[in-house]
Amino acid sequence: MSCFEYFLTSHKLIVVRKTYNSAYGMGAAKALCYTSFVSAVLGAFPQYRNGAHPIFTFNAFAQSSFFYPPVGVLPAKIVIGDGIMEGYTAIGYGDVAPQAILAHEYGH
């Protein structure tokens, strides 16, 4: 099985489809169409590593708590992607990056 076939059959594809469906309110057919497009793009360009490229996680953000109907109340959280940590490590700030990013996001 190729990496692309694995991606298509993995839980990642299901999560992407559910996100389009639940978070963006798309119908099942439209969500599947968008998901198919995303998976095709990731498969067409090996540089994207089937979605495992740090560019997709080169960010951090603060999220306030909110009500998500299928689950309930989601608590406030700070999300820090692996990509941003790799970036700071690459330029020599890996030792202080977690604290700096957390402090910055907490300010939001």
Side-chain angles (χ1 to χ4, degrees):
M1 176 182 289
S2 73
C3 290
F4 182 60
E5 288 169 329
Y6 171 75
F7 179 80
L8 286 176
T9 59
S10 73
H11 70 280
K12 291 178 186 177
L13 188 62
I14 295 168
V15 170
V16 171
R17 182 182 50 79
K18 285 183 177 182
T19 300
Y20 281 128
N21 184 252
S22 300
Y24 295 107
M26 292 183 182
K30 189 172 184 180
L32 181 60
C33 179
Y34 274 61
T35 303
S36 298
F37 174 75
V38 168
S39 64
V41 168
L42 293 176
F45 298 95
Q47 299 90 337
Y48 289 152
R49 302 180 200 166
N50 290 315
H53 193 282
I55 194 170
F56 298 116
T57 64
F58 201 81
N59 200 357
F61 63 92
Q63 176 66 57
S64 299
S65 64
F66 65 97
F67 181 74
Y68 185 57
V71 179
V73 176
L74 297 177
K77 59 188 75 201
I78 292 175
V79 178
I80 301 174
D82 292 336
I84 197 164
M85 296 302 296
E86 290 178 22
Y88 275 109
T89 299
I91 61 172
Y93 291 109
D95 58 334
V96 296
Q99 298 90 331
I101 296 167
L102 182 63
H104 171 86
E105 294 305 326
Y106 189 80
H108 289 290

